[in-house]
Amino acid sequence: MNEFSAVSEATAPGKIILFGEHAVVYGRPAIAAPISQLRAIATVTYSSSNNCYLIAPDLNRHDRLQDLPDDNALAMAARLVLQAAQIDAPPDVTIHVKSQIPIASGMGSGAAIAAAIIRALAQHLNRLDLQNNDMVSALTYEVEKIHHGTPSGIDNTVVAYEQPIYFVRQSPKNQIEPFNVAVPLRFVVADTGVRSSTKVAVGDVRRQYNQQPAQFARIFDECGRIAQAARQAIEAGDTMQAGKLLTENHAWLQKMTVSSPELDHLVDAALQAGALGAKLSGAGRGGNMIALVEEGEMETAVCYALQKAGATATITTILA
Ligand code: MEV
């Protein structure tokens, strides 16, 4: 074990999509931000068991890497690092994974867990070249393909870079632009408590797009226009405009059929309580919504209204 670290730990944040989810899969711009207070944590410890173990208590998993199938996301994250490091036999380690990010809730828990495993294992192997943001993002993207076939690349990018980004999926290289936030924006993130599969939501949008290409292309265009306008508003410090654009984006997501009664109910409750804007965030059909608020009375009123309307958890995150 001499050339390897005895204990390596790495973390990655959750994320919220501020503007442009789903349309981003079809090449329209989107904006995402990390949620640094909710993290996935991976620890790699040298073990004398002559095996590589993957332990994830939150997921009730305790397995040998070699016993896990190809489509197991945690195993894939570890195998991709070993492959990139050109290591054939898995090292004798225990990879322990924990996460504070709710699963299947639109907060990028899968991407964050993969990114944490990739960084921790690369660190254990003393492979600096596999720990930079580009590499972590690229390997996480490969894992994301298990969660749904055609990820845009926004989730892996935001959790690997851990900064707000303006993102456009394009070939040969995605456009990834950190941007200036003139005035910090305060978001209340509220959980419907309903778990939902990104793969199913993305697949349903794909089917509808195939059936009605012109209508859906128009919806995607509108979401892209909103994301572009939102970036300008955020860079100019125009919080009111950013709020209006959030609510507008939610209406287009409803047309895409990715909202749900629970999400709509929370969005309405936030707006009625005075939020500057609100929308679902992520793949939809369940998971989380976000509401833009001002600190103080407005934030308190919105949090209270969301809890009363059935939110199972609320946190505040600041885009700065
Ligand atoms: C999921 O966080 C965001 C989606 O746009 C899917 C993707 O971009 O890959 C729904």
Side-chain angles (χ1 to χ4, degrees), residues 120-135:
L121 192 53
Q123 216 172 295
H124 169 81
L125 300 172
N126 281 330
R127 289 294 300 260
L128 266 182
D129 57 327
L130 303 180
Q131 291 172 51
N132 64 61
N133 294 342
D134 282 345
M135 183 54 93

Side-chain angles (χ1 to χ4, degrees), residues 15 17 21-22 24-25 148 151-152 154-155 283:
K15 68 99 205 346
I17 306 264
E21 52 274 269
H22 287 289
V24 67
V25 174
H148 69 102
S152 64
I154 193 167
D155 288 11

Side-chain angles (χ1 to χ4, degrees), residues 114-269:
I117 292 177
I118 290 164
R119 266 195 219 283
L121 192 53
Q123 216 172 295
H124 169 81
L125 300 172
N126 281 330
R127 289 294 300 260
L128 266 182
D129 57 327
L130 303 180
Q131 291 172 51
N132 64 61
N133 294 342
D134 282 345
M135 183 54 93
V136 173
S137 176
L139 296 181
T140 303
Y141 180 73
E142 293 305 311
V143 181
E144 282 285 281
K145 286 186 190 164
I146 296 182
H147 296 297
H148 69 102
T150 54
S152 64
I154 193 167
D155 288 11
N156 49 286
T157 304
V158 73
V159 306
Y161 286 80
E162 198 165 349
Q163 54 181 314
I165 48 157
Y166 179 85
F167 180 95
V168 186
R169 179 189 195 188
Q170 60 185 27
S171 232
K173 211 169 181 300
N174 294 328
Q175 184 183 342
I176 299 167
E177 291 177 10
F179 58 94
N180 183 37
V181 180
V183 174
L185 297 179
R186 229 176 153 79
F187 289 94
V188 177
V189 185
D191 197 342
T192 58
V194 178
R195 297 294 157 250
S196 112
S197 150
T198 300
K199 193 171 190 160
V200 171
V202 170
D204 280 356
V205 172
R206 170 74 60 189
R207 252 185 306 284
Q208 295 177 81
Y209 170 64
N210 288 339
Q211 281 160 6
Q212 307 162 272
Q215 285 92 320
F216 268 69
R218 153 118 205 281
I219 297 175
F220 298 152
D221 284 343
E222 289 296 338
C223 294
R225 174 190 61 74
I226 288 171
Q228 255 169 344
R231 178 181 173 166
Q232 278 169 12
I234 295 169
E235 286 181 330
D238 191 345
T239 308
M240 289 297 176
Q241 175 67 357
K244 274 192 206 143
L245 291 165
L246 281 176
T247 311
E248 227 185 278
N249 196 164
H250 184 73
W252 290 109
L253 288 162
Q254 286 175 317
K255 291 198 171 66
M256 267 183 229
T257 77
V258 294
S259 193
S260 69
E262 293 85 357
L263 282 164
D264 288 345
H265 187 53
L266 293 187
V267 166
D268 289 346

